Structure formats: C-alpha cells, structure tokens
Amino acid sequence: ATMLQLFFGTRLPIIQSGAAVYFAVAKAILSKEPCKEVYHVIDENGNNVTQTWDPNWHERMAELQGNLMLASLCQVAIGGFGLVGLLLKVIGPITITVLISLLGFCLAGEAGRMASLIWGISLLIVLLVTVFSEYLKNVPVPVPTVSFGSGKKTKCGVAWLKLLSTLSIMISLALVWGLCAILTATDTLPEGDPARVTNLTTAIDAAKWFYFPYPGQFGTPKVTLGGFIGFIAAVIGGMIESLGDYYACAKLAGAPPPPSYALNRGVMMEGVGCFLTGLCGPGVGVTSYSENIAAIGLTKVGSRRVIFCGGIFVLFMGVIGKIGVLFASMPGPIVGGMYLVMFGVVAAVGISNLRFVDLTSSRNIFVLGISLYMGIVVPMWSGQIMADPNTAGALKTGNKEFDQLVAVVLSSGMIVGSSISCLLDNTLPATDKERGITGYRQANEDCTDKDLLGKIYREPVMEFFAKKLPILRKLPFVPEHEVPGKIRY
C-alpha cells in the first residue's frame, strides 16, 4: 500500500498499513459463536491437557477477506469517479482543523495506555526526542567522509553536519531500547516487567525464516451482507482519516496542499491496497499512519526515497519472520513514549490551520468546540458502552448489519467530529473571510508553483498515457493540463 501511494497515489512521503478502524468489524465477525472441538495436547511440562479450538476459524478469515475486498472496490470507485473532489467543495479550514486534530486527540487513550506501563521510560523517550530535535538541532556533529579524486587518489576527512534533529527518533529509540536491554540482561527489571526486552534467542529460534502470503490461503473468500456493510463504514472512516493525513503530510513536508486529482488518486490507490490486503492478508484494511507524518515534522525528512527504502525494509520484515521478531521485542513503554510525541505533533498540525479562521467569531468558536468535543467524547462513550455486557444492548437494534455500521461510526472520532464540523460550517451563516476560506484559498494560490505542483503530485505513467490520449484528462484522477517540466520520482 505504501508503494502504491508513492508511485501511483498522492505521491506524498506517507506510510500506509493496517488500520484500527477495521478492527471493530473484524472482531464482530471473528467473535461469532464458534464451533468448538476438544482435543488433547502435551504441554511444555509434559502433562496431558485438553484444549478447545474452532475448526472453522479459516472460514471466518475467508469471510473477512471477501467482505474487505468488495468494500475496497467501493473505495476505488469513490476515488475513480472523483467523489472526493466533490467533497472538498464543502470542506473548509475549520473542518480540516477538526479532522487532523482528532487524528492526534483520538489516539491519546492508546498513547496513555502504553506510556502508563512505565511512565519513566516513556517520559525519557519524550525528553530525548525533545533535546535532540529542538535544543540540539543546530549543533553540528563530526561525520567521516571519503572523496575520490582523479586517478587513485582518495581523500579522507571530516564533515560537520547538523544531524541530531534528523536522527532524533532513531537515536532516542536506540538509547532507551539499549538501556532496557541492559536492565533486562542484568535482571534489574523483574520477570513480567513491561520494560523487559523479549528473550530474542528463544523468539528468533521459534520464528520461521520465510512466509509468503498468497491468495486463497484461508479458502475461497466469502461475502455476507452484515460484514460488507460494516467494512463499508470502516472504509469511509479510513478514507476520512487519510484525507486529514494527506493535508498534514503535505504541510510538514513543505509541499503545496494536494489538488483534487491527487486526493482522488490517493483514495483510489488506498482502495487497491485494501483489496490486496483482503486478497493475501488477514482481512484488515489499510490507512495512512499519523506516526509517520509526525516523524517528518520532527526529523525534517520528507523524501519519497526514504519512504521507499522503508517500504522495502518492511516487506522484508513481513516475509522474513526472524527479522520481524527483532522489532517485535521493543518494550511497550518505548512505543508509548513515541506515541506521546508523535500524536501531539499531529494534533498541533491540525490546530495550525486555524490561522486562516477568524477566532474572534463566536460562531467559529462554537463550531470548533462542539466538533472537537463530540469527536473525543462520543468514541469514549461508545467504547465504554460496548465493553460492558450489561449496557452493550443499548446500542443494538436487533439488526446486525445496522448495529455494525453504528459501532464503526461511533468508534471513529474523525467521522463524528468532521461530520459535525462540516455540517455546521456549511449551514451556519458566515462570510467566506470569517470561515477562513478566503485566506486559505489565497495562501494556496500564493504557495502553488505550477512547476513544483507537477513535480510533486503528477504521476508519470498517467501523464504518459494522457499525452497519447488527451481524452484521459477528463478523468477526475488525471490533471486537466499537461505537466510543465520533468516529473521525477
């Protein structure tokens, strides 16, 4: 999915992977009353024990795959027919602010849960990232260099480069991860401590060297009405989340705001990515990762080449099990510390869009307050209701398909908040200047260099065919006019 976005989608330096918005639907399908069978096994102590399992589990996985594949085709159609571009006509700076900010705010619970495992480790990560990315960002460090002159002359030297900000996340992770490994090796951290590093020797030995996912590994994909409707809601939630990520990524990478044809193409390629995960994967769709966008803001690295190399590395991790085990050993508090930094940066990027909006207007304050608060509170409330068996029935109507749709919508703060914001911002009376639309459009016109816009967002393969067949420029995911200059990857 990441490769599709880099080469054929928005072409922004963005990473796409499994999305949490799909988990609610997957959980509903997998938690159906299983057909259990009892069998006997020998445990690690040599005792004969009985266990139960569901011999039809692969059928549930096939159902996940089939429903996701069909729903993802709908997402491909949304991007292919230009419906995203039509949606942009009613999205102003206030809605963009709410959408991007909720990407960070709605994940605060997960960040707090991971960080609370051991606050000391998590806050150490926050401290180190802050020091390296902000306080020491202008401090040069020596880097050995080698230059090859004419003939066989080779010169060695030292270059002083400002790399601490660029490598702030990697340095912080390495230092704290290494500290946890030392404390684990010396048994300073007791067994069961969340900061302990997994015994890699045992884990690596148990992992397979290679595993290649393939179509039909769980049987023929199946489609059910309830699962399909649930995945449609999840697709919409993931699409809305990605739209916010596209704007945030462009801003942090120093690129102009993505034009409508790039957004249409991005949504279409995201649908293709979801289809591929349904075809060969576990049946969980993909969306853009906010953590990657925050990393761009911290490291100031927004290169497509870097994301391409990262995508290749992740592919190897997925295929070579022993490499994946190494990174799976990262303690939870370290992940929690990274979440605290990254999700905060994403939320701040959303808030920065308010510079176009008249914040002296009580109307705008009302729209912002209601949208943000509802986008935070409603998912918290629905999560508590559905987690308690005594109150879960309050959200059930007796129709499983509709119940799945409601569960997905209410669990996504981005859907709730951005929908309320879009509705209120377009129905409550106000001038374009008051809503921030005038300033936003002016800023886009000022920063949109057509040459730069073409190099960033226009895709060479589609441009090649559009030059041969000009009628293709009528498609909503192809730019209307020819790209000036050379397009580069």
Side-chain angles (χ1 to χ4, degrees):
T2 299
M3 299 299 185
L4 287 173
Q5 284 296 333
L6 280 178
F7 289 101
F8 306 107
T10 59
R11 305 196 68 235
L12 287 167
I14 201 165
I15 289 178
Q16 292 201 322
S17 189
V21 71
Y22 292 90
F23 291 163
V25 184
K27 182 179 179 181
I29 293 176
L30 294 176
S31 62
K32 292 179 180 179
E33 186 63 30
C35 173
K36 294 182 179 180
E37 290 185 0
V38 178
Y39 65 105
H40 299 276
V41 297
I42 305 298
D43 65 10
E44 57 186 7
N45 298 320
N47 300 321
N48 192 350
V49 297
T50 60
Q51 293 184 1
T52 60
W53 76 304
D54 180 11
N56 298 322
W57 65 271
H58 58 281
E59 294 185 5
R60 303 178 192 281
M61 294 299 297
E63 184 178 341
L64 281 179
Q65 290 183 317
N67 289 319
L68 175 60
M69 291 167 64
L70 185 59
S72 64
L73 292 179
C74 297
Q75 185 173 7
V76 173
I78 290 174
F81 287 108
L83 299 183
V84 178
L86 297 177
L87 182 64
L88 293 179
K89 295 181 179 180
V90 295
I91 293 180
I94 294 180
T95 302
I96 293 174
T97 297
V98 171
L99 178 58
I100 300 177
S101 297
L102 286 175
L103 288 173
F105 291 147
C106 289
L107 294 169
E110 181 63 16
R113 184 185 69 82
M114 298 291 287
S116 64
L117 296 173
I118 295 183
W119 275 105
I121 297 294
S122 299
L123 293 179
L124 180 58
I125 283 283
V126 175
L127 175 63
L128 290 175
V129 172
T130 303
V131 170
F132 289 126
S133 68
E134 302 301 328
Y135 289 106
L136 301 180
K137 62 182 178 181
N138 293 320
V139 176
V141 294
V143 178
T145 61
V146 178
S147 59
F148 299 94
S150 59
K152 297 183 178 180
K153 294 182 179 180
T154 301
K155 295 182 179 180
C156 299
V158 176
W160 291 82
L161 304 176
K162 298 177 181 179
L163 294 177
L164 292 180
S165 176
T166 302
L167 302 176
S168 59
I169 294 177
M170 293 182 62
I171 295 173
S172 302
L173 279 176
L175 290 176
V176 180
W177 201 350
L179 174 62
C180 290
I182 293 173
L183 295 177
T184 301
T186 58
D187 284 332
T188 304
L189 297 174
E191 288 289 342
D193 192 287
R196 281 184 67 92
V197 178
T198 306
N199 187 336
L200 290 179
T201 303
T202 304
I204 291 176
D205 289 342
K208 294 181 179 180
W209 266 109
F210 298 101
Y211 178 77
F212 296 94
Y214 56 90
Q217 57 187 320
F218 302 116
T220 304
K222 299 180 180 180
V223 176
T224 60
L225 179 60
F228 171 69
I229 293 177
F231 270 113
I232 283 291
V235 161
I236 294 174
M239 183 179 66
I240 291 175
E241 182 176 344
S242 284
L243 288 176
D245 283 333
Y246 296 154
Y247 280 104
C249 184
K251 181 176 178 60
L252 288 176
S260 60
Y261 64 80
L263 294 175
N264 286 328
R265 205 169 58 214
V267 169
M268 186 169 62
M269 288 300 109
E270 184 175 316
V272 175
C274 288
F275 182 86
L276 293 177
T277 60
L279 182 66
C280 302
V284 176
V286 300
T287 191
S288 304
Y289 265 27
S290 304
E291 298 94 320
N292 149 244
I293 297 167
I296 293 175
L298 292 171
T299 63
K300 309 299 185 292
V301 177
S303 170
R304 284 192 288 248
R305 294 184 179 91
V306 172
I307 302 300
F308 172 77
C309 293
I312 293 294
F313 182 70
V314 171
L315 284 176
F316 278 108
M317 285 178 58
V319 173
I320 305 175
K322 294 186 184 296
I323 297 179
V325 167
L326 175 63
F327 287 89
S329 68
M330 183 181 295
I334 296 180
V335 179
M338 297 307 303
Y339 282 177
L340 291 175
V341 176
M342 293 181 172
F343 295 156
V345 171
V346 172
V349 170
I351 294 173
S352 68
N353 285 282
L354 291 177
R355 69 186 185 278
F356 304 110
V357 179
D358 182 6
L359 293 179
T360 63
S361 168
S362 59
R363 178 256 190 203
N364 291 341
I365 296 296
F366 176 82
V367 174
L368 280 169
I370 291 295
S371 304
L372 285 173
Y373 208 67
M374 292 295 285
I376 296 172
V377 172
V378 170
M380 292 174 57
W381 168 78
S382 64
Q384 293 174 354
I385 290 293
M386 288 185 286
D388 187 351
N390 298 322
T391 59
L395 295 178
K396 294 184 178 180
T397 62
N399 186 302
K400 292 183 179 180
E401 291 78 13
F402 184 75
D403 291 344
Q404 285 185 354
L405 177 63
V406 171
V408 172
V409 170
L410 294 183
S411 64
S412 174
M414 284 74 74
I415 295 179
V416 175
S418 60
S419 299
I420 294 175
S421 173
C422 185
L423 175 65
L424 294 178
D425 191 34
N426 285 278
T427 55
L428 294 179
T431 63
D432 285 351
K433 183 177 181 180
E434 184 180 358
R435 296 173 58 193
I437 293 178
T438 301
Y440 188 75
R441 287 175 179 170
Q442 184 62 45
N444 289 351
E445 292 173 1
D446 292 342
C447 73
T448 299
D449 180 344
K450 291 185 178 180
D451 220 17
L452 177 64
L453 199 68
K455 291 178 180 178
I456 294 176
Y457 293 113
R458 303 201 185 190
E459 198 279 312
V461 175
M462 295 184 183
E463 275 297 317
F464 173 80
F465 286 106
K467 288 180 180 179
K468 302 294 183 181
L469 297 172
I471 193 173
L472 293 178
R473 296 200 181 277
K474 299 294 183 179
L475 296 174
F477 51 87
V478 178
E480 295 180 0
H481 306 288
E482 186 175 338
V483 174
K486 183 181 179 181
I487 312 174
R488 296 176 297 178
Y489 271 117

